[in-house]
Amino acid sequence: MAGLSSFGKYTHAIVCCIPDSLGTRPAKDGASEGQPEPVDLAKAHRQYGVYTGILRQKLGLQVIELAADEGLPHSVLVEDITVIQGDTALITRPWEPARRGEISSIKKVLEELKMRVVEVTDDGATLDGSDVLFTGREFFVGISRWTNHRGAEMVADTFRDFAVSTIPVPGSCHLKSFCSMAGPDTIAIGSSEAAKKAIRTMEQLTDHHYDTLTVPDDPAGNCVYVRLGPKGSALLHRSPEEFPSSQQPFQKLPDLTLIPVACSEVAKLGGTLSSCSLLINKKLDR
């Protein structure tokens, strides 16, 4: 399959710099009881620097940084905005209307990279990139507070070469709040009831067998798998300082270079490791 042959191969990453307003923004779900835990802004900047350094130096990617937007704290969660597979980018319909400016910036970069850009224009569709899991073979789309069935249909309409299945996601979570790909045929999954139910549904809906890597903490189920060419593959995963009990399962992946990364501060806004960048495989012009 074309998707599988290029799965995990990337040349570029789009990220957004941390705005100072990140430290004053309430939790993304907007429905948390009591006061949300405040963001440590200095720590957020440090974590961003480490993350982008890993993308450049350890993964060898060309990193494109969008300027910080003080009026748009959630702009750091760039995965919300776009679903990318191959040379096609589907611009989603984010939950904050104010993010249209961010969409324009990301769209401009994608067009400069000569990507095929498609936009969700159906007013009845809602779609968040953090609800879309591409396995290299097919798409799973979480039906959540952020994404509806019409949004999932837009994924199917855009990426017609791949099967698209929908997975119910309860509460204010995204599908990728507790799962991700930890290799071409391995799904990392958390241990909550929602995560267990989601993986059972995936297994029922797919014709392919995926291995599962179960971690005790749901947020640790969100990883970033990257192929490094002849040098092998790497897996970015949440750090032992954040989730010590979830480190041992990753040792079952001896063929991968394991790279622990902390993102505790953007996580306070509902962010994950994968939501902090858009990864692109830009084929060189012939």
Side-chain angles (χ1 to χ4, degrees):
M1 293 181 66
L4 190 60
S5 64
S6 61
F7 182 71
K9 290 183 179 179
Y10 304 109
T11 57
H12 293 71
I14 300 174
V15 298
C16 184
C17 296
I18 301 288
D20 290 343
S21 56
L22 190 72
T24 62
R25 186 69 178 180
K28 181 179 178 181
D29 60 37
S32 301
E33 293 185 6
Q35 288 294 109
E37 187 177 358
V39 171
D40 183 330
L41 189 58
K43 190 173 183 179
H45 280 290
R46 290 196 299 272
Q47 291 178 348
Y48 172 83
V50 171
Y51 184 74
T52 54
I54 288 171
L55 295 177
R56 288 189 177 97
Q57 298 162 19
K58 293 191 176 182
L59 304 186
L61 304 182
Q62 181 174 330
V63 177
I64 302 167
E65 294 187 81
L66 303 178
D69 186 338
E70 293 301 331
L72 210 56
H74 284 123
S75 59
V76 296
L77 307 180
V78 291
E79 186 183 46
D80 295 349
I81 299 298
T82 312
V83 177
I84 297 175
Q85 200 290 308
D87 62 356
T88 298
L90 174 62
I91 303 293
T92 65
R93 290 180 65 83
W95 68 290
E96 287 181 307
R99 296 187 75 171
R100 299 309 298 182
E102 180 188 7
I103 286 176
S104 296
S105 298
I106 290 176
K107 182 180 177 181
K108 181 179 179 182
V109 171
L110 294 171
E111 289 174 341
E112 289 173 350
L113 291 174
K114 295 182 170 57
M115 301 285 287
R116 170 178 172 254
V117 179
V118 180
E119 294 191 64
V120 175
T121 57
D122 187 335
D123 289 339
T126 59
L127 178 64
D128 191 305
S130 294
D131 276 320
V132 182
L133 176 66
F134 180 61
T135 71
R137 299 174 182 273
E138 60 193 310
F139 285 93
F140 292 109
V141 180
I143 302 302
S144 71
R145 174 178 176 179
W146 319 102
T147 299
N148 63 14
H149 284 280
R150 183 58 190 137
E153 290 173 3
M154 293 300 298
V155 175
D157 289 344
T158 304
F159 304 103
R160 295 181 178 234
D161 291 340
F162 300 95
V164 175
S165 301
T166 58
I167 311 295
V169 179
S172 59
C173 290
H174 296 89
L175 178 61
K176 292 176 74 173
S177 295
F178 48 70
C179 71
S180 64
M181 297 306 295
D185 289 302
T186 301
I187 298 177
I189 189 77
S191 296
S192 69
E193 287 305 312
K196 291 176 183 177
K197 186 174 181 179
I199 194 66
R200 287 196 299 266
T201 303
M202 291 182 200
E203 291 170 346
Q204 292 167 0
L205 293 174
T206 185
D207 293 328
H208 182 73
H209 171 74
Y210 296 99
D211 295 325
T212 56
L213 182 77
T214 303
V215 294
D217 305 287
D218 273 11
N222 181 277
C223 316
V224 177
Y225 168 76
V226 178
R227 287 170 62 181
L228 303 175
K231 295 185 289 183
S233 300
L235 188 72
L236 277 59
H237 64 90
R238 296 293 289 273
S239 70
E241 292 77 20
E242 296 173 300
F243 299 105
S245 61
S246 286
Q247 301 306 301
Q248 186 60 35
F250 293 112
Q251 304 306 314
K252 298 176 183 178
L253 304 171
D255 296 333
L256 298 180
T257 298
L258 300 176
I259 304 175
V261 189
C263 69
S264 61
E265 302 314 297
V266 296
K268 294 173 182 176
L269 305 183
T272 61
L273 273 183
S274 67
S275 66
C276 294
S277 61
L278 288 170
L279 301 180
I280 299 166
N281 184 14
K282 175 67 173 71
K283 296 179 181 178
L284 296 177
D285 295 330
R286 295 180 180 179

